[in-house]
């Protein structure tokens, strides 16, 4: 799993490694922070599509999406962001 900024500049070719979802929202994670303080990985970067409108790229709090009931897609296969948008 790439750390924050390791895929910077790749745009739609950045690889989505994790997919979280609820009934109406999706989060595709391309990078996650390392865990230097032992607090768990709490911030990620990727595409958040909350309203099925294509979403937007930005920083994502893993704590917040899990608190909202998001589930990790255990069947997700890493693929470029461009392909994940079509999911």
């Amino acid at each position: 799993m790439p750390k924050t900024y390791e895929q910077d500049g790749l745009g739609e070719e950045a690889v989505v490694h994790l997919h979280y979802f609820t009934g109406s929202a999706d989060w595709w994670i391309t990078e996650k922070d390392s865990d230097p303080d032992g607090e768990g990985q709490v911030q990620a970067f990727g595409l958040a599509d909350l309203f099925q409108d294509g979403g937007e790229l930005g920083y994502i709090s893993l704590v917040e999406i899990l608190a909202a009931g998001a589930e990790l897609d255990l069947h997700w296969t890493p693929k470029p962001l461009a392909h994940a948008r079509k999911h």
Side-chain angles (χ1 to χ4, degrees):
M1 181 84 212
K3 295 177 186 145
T4 304
Y5 304 118
E6 287 186 350
Q7 294 194 80
D8 193 27
L10 293 179
E12 294 290 313
E13 294 305 312
V15 175
V16 175
H17 289 271
L18 299 173
H19 173 232
Y20 289 88
F21 66 94
T22 63
S24 62
D26 291 280
W27 295 267
W28 289 281
I29 308 300
T30 60
E31 303 168 344
K32 285 195 327 184
D33 284 346
S34 60
D35 182 18
D37 301 325
E39 296 178 16
Q41 293 175 326
V42 297
Q43 181 174 281
F45 186 84
L47 177 72
D49 190 354
L50 307 180
F51 306 105
Q52 304 302 309
D53 62 356
E56 61 183 51
L57 289 169
Y59 291 96
I60 299 166
S61 168
L62 297 176
V63 173
E64 288 180 14
I65 65 171
L66 292 173
E71 297 179 49
L72 178 61
D73 183 347
L74 299 177
H75 302 285
W76 180 257
T77 302
K79 59 188 77 167
L81 181 58
H83 295 328
R85 283 186 186 264
K86 297 174 187 176
H87 176 49

